[in-house]
Amino acid sequence: MAATAVDMTAPRPHSSGQVYAVYGHLDPTVLTLDEAFARGLSWHQIPTDALMALDTGHPTLVRAAMQRLDRHDEPLIGAVGFDDWCNTALSVLNPDWALAPARTLVTDKPSLYARLREHEAQVAQSLVGAVSTVFLREAIDALGPRPILKPATGAGSRGVYRYRDDLDLDANLALYQQILRHGHIDSRTPIIAAAYLGDDDAAREISVDLVIHDHAMRAATVHEKRTATAVHPFVDNLMISPPTDHVITAALDQLPMVLSRTAAAIDVPAGVLHIELRLHHGRWHVLDVGVRPGMGLVAHSAHARTGIDPRLAHLAASIGTRLDPTALRSAQGAHAATAIMCCYVADPHRRRVRLDRYSELATRLREAEAVIGWHLNVAEVTDPMYRPDAGLSVGLGAPDTATALTRLRSLLDPYQLTTDTDSTTESVVAQ
């Protein structure tokens, strides 16, 4: 009997929350996770079921989950989360958690935008309501033809949608409701509609990872988004630091004041803010704020440029450990510029994807001195119902941005990897 193909694809175990229980001792003089782990710190990702129990806050469930986290060989000293969720669990695991008010604020978009306005940081005009044709009509009338819709209680890209002016109200409503279902977002969640800041030829988007210590800004890493896409969930395939776009560089002198006002609005004594901003009609507007480092290789890039690992700074703030100010002041980056990229195999080459071909690339990446981090995902299949793909996230450092981009291209071009979002939208969304 012929063999039957079976789809064994499944989510990675415990992949629904990036929350880690932290054990041992954190040396306050270190500035990287690797150094911290070498000097007595360890962490273990909290299993999904235990994390859900902690996040209920129910005493019986919390006690059982805490027993599972008990390790007799080293003490539990707190926990750290690298996305915007599970804040009840983190409050349980971190007594007197200093980040709690800020984390609550940034996951309440109307309150966040109001606070930013109070501190004179520019944000897009917005309104809040239940998703319906009536609400969509109100949003269009008040905000323009292509408002951005997102859950008012959310963070990140889940449930984010730009209204399509080529569709009528009913079609937009049906599509957005499906996006909410796909993101497992309760349809009763209030929705915030914000004006789309894209009707300006000089509009540009950046992100900033800002390290704060003793209420002062210590290090800021600015990434220019070179290939921000207009498809859900707004994947940014190429980012460079420092920016080189002349429109962005001409407006960088405004940035310190905007960052200062944003930091004052969020009000954390220490930690990391990931701030998304858009230049619109010559002024920086805050799009979103996370009380955490940027995702993916953004933190690696920030570390390469500043010498401070924002993941370590965020961990220290989470567990209530004050990093040594002398170490922070003496930190020096290894690279003056970085480029980080998320690549996919171009459509015409998908059927040629084979593991042995990309293992050669993996060897080159391991040996390249300027590589600051990478992740290669290769799937080799012969069944025609599946589309073989390869995805690579990679970051490189260099003396300048042009050299960083040249180094990236020299590594990637022989392998038919592309950042062309037109030909890879399906794989980008799928992954």
Side-chain angles (χ1 to χ4, degrees):
M1 184 174 67
T4 302
V6 178
D7 180 12
M8 297 298 289
T9 303
R12 182 171 61 87
H14 315 315
S15 62
S16 64
Q18 298 184 63
V19 180
Y20 297 81
V22 182
Y23 299 88
H25 167 72
L26 174 58
D27 183 339
T29 66
V30 303
L31 293 178
T32 71
L33 281 177
D34 287 343
E35 290 177 307
F37 293 148
R39 298 192 190 185
L41 190 78
S42 68
W43 71 14
H44 301 275
Q45 188 167 6
I46 300 175
T48 303
D49 56 343
L51 187 59
M52 289 191 296
L54 290 166
D55 216 36
T56 66
H58 190 283
T60 301
L61 298 172
V62 167
R63 280 195 299 271
M66 292 297 289
Q67 289 175 356
R68 292 181 59 186
L69 299 182
D70 182 46
R71 297 174 63 87
H72 299 295
D73 55 334
E74 50 188 349
L76 174 68
I77 59 174
V80 58
F82 288 96
D83 56 20
D84 300 287
W85 312 108
C86 301
N87 292 320
T88 300
L90 286 163
S91 292
V92 170
L93 292 162
N94 295 307
D96 302 317
W97 191 33
L99 300 184
R103 296 266 293 194
T104 300
L105 175 66
V106 300
T107 52
D108 178 353
K109 296 306 177 196
S111 296
L112 171 63
Y113 291 167
R115 181 77 64 81
L116 288 166
R117 290 188 186 100
E118 289 172 5
H119 286 78
E120 300 182 333
Q122 292 290 316
V123 296
Q125 184 183 357
S126 60
L127 55 92
V128 183
V131 62
S132 66
T133 53
V134 173
F135 177 69
L136 293 182
R137 170 50 62 193
E138 290 175 351
I140 293 167
D141 291 343
L143 307 172
R146 292 182 293 169
I148 300 294
L149 306 176
K150 64 180 76 174
T153 57
S157 61
R158 287 197 316 148
V160 179
Y161 173 67
R162 188 174 73 191
Y163 188 95
R164 288 177 52 179
D165 54 4
D166 61 321
L167 299 176
D168 62 22
L169 281 170
D170 288 337
N172 270 285
L173 177 62
L175 182 55
Y176 188 53
Q177 288 174 328
Q178 191 60 34
I179 287 172
L180 293 176
R181 293 188 193 101
H182 184 73
H184 303 290
I185 298 166
D186 192 324
S187 61
R188 296 167 295 181
T189 300
I191 299 300
I192 188 165
Y196 173 55
L197 305 180
D199 58 353
D200 175 8
D201 289 341
R204 300 290 191 276
E205 194 163 321
I206 63 171
S207 69
V208 180
D209 276 60
L210 181 64
V211 176
I212 297 173
H213 184 74
D214 288 343
H215 294 279
M217 297 186 295
R218 295 294 182 184
T221 306
V222 182
H223 284 99
E224 172 189 336
K225 298 184 178 184
R226 279 288 184 93
T227 52
T229 69
V231 297
H232 178 80
F234 304 109
V235 172
D236 301 300
N237 280 359
L238 172 62
M239 293 192 286
I240 58 172
S241 183
T244 61
D245 184 288
H246 70 280
V247 175
I248 294 176
T249 56
L252 286 180
D253 60 345
Q254 303 176 29
L255 200 54
M257 180 60 72
V258 176
L259 297 180
S260 177
R261 290 172 175 174
T262 303
I266 305 303
D267 190 26
V268 293
V272 179
L273 301 182
H274 178 73
I275 308 169
E276 304 278 343
L277 304 107
R278 191 165 182 85
L279 186 65
H280 181 63
H281 295 311
R283 303 184 71 179
W284 291 110
H285 290 66
V286 179
L287 300 179
D288 207 352
V289 183
V291 184
R292 55 167 175 78
M295 299 294 194
L297 294 176
V298 171
H300 294 70
S301 174
H303 175 213
R305 293 216 55 222
T306 67
I308 301 171
D309 185 343
R311 298 170 302 169
L312 187 279
H314 177 56
L315 184 152
S318 296
I319 66 174
T321 297
R322 184 177 182 271
L323 292 178
D324 183 74
T326 302
L328 290 169
R329 285 193 296 268
S330 63
Q332 293 184 339
H335 299 284
T338 56
I340 55 179
M341 182 183 292
C342 183
C343 315
Y344 298 88
V345 170
D347 281 346
H349 303 286
R350 283 175 182 253
R351 300 301 304 173
R352 297 168 54 190
V353 173
R354 293 292 182 269
L355 185 59
D356 55 354
R357 177 165 178 75
Y358 290 94
S359 64
E360 172 190 313
L361 172 59
T363 299
R364 293 186 64 193
L365 290 169
R366 290 191 191 98
E367 296 174 349
E369 183 177 354
V371 173
I372 59 176
W374 62 276
H375 174 268
L376 178 63
N377 176 47
V378 179
E380 182 170 342
V381 293
T382 56
D383 190 323
M385 73 178 291
Y386 297 108
R387 302 181 70 190
D389 200 2
L392 172 69
S393 295
V394 60
L396 286 95
D400 54 74
T401 312
T403 303
L405 292 172
T406 299
R407 287 176 175 175
L408 273 174
R409 290 299 181 192
S410 66
L411 277 171
L412 305 180
D413 282 352
Y415 301 93
Q416 289 80 47
L417 290 161
T418 179
T419 58
D420 179 0
T421 55
D422 290 336
S423 65
T424 58
T425 294
E426 181 178 344
S427 63
V428 167
V429 173
Q431 295 192 32

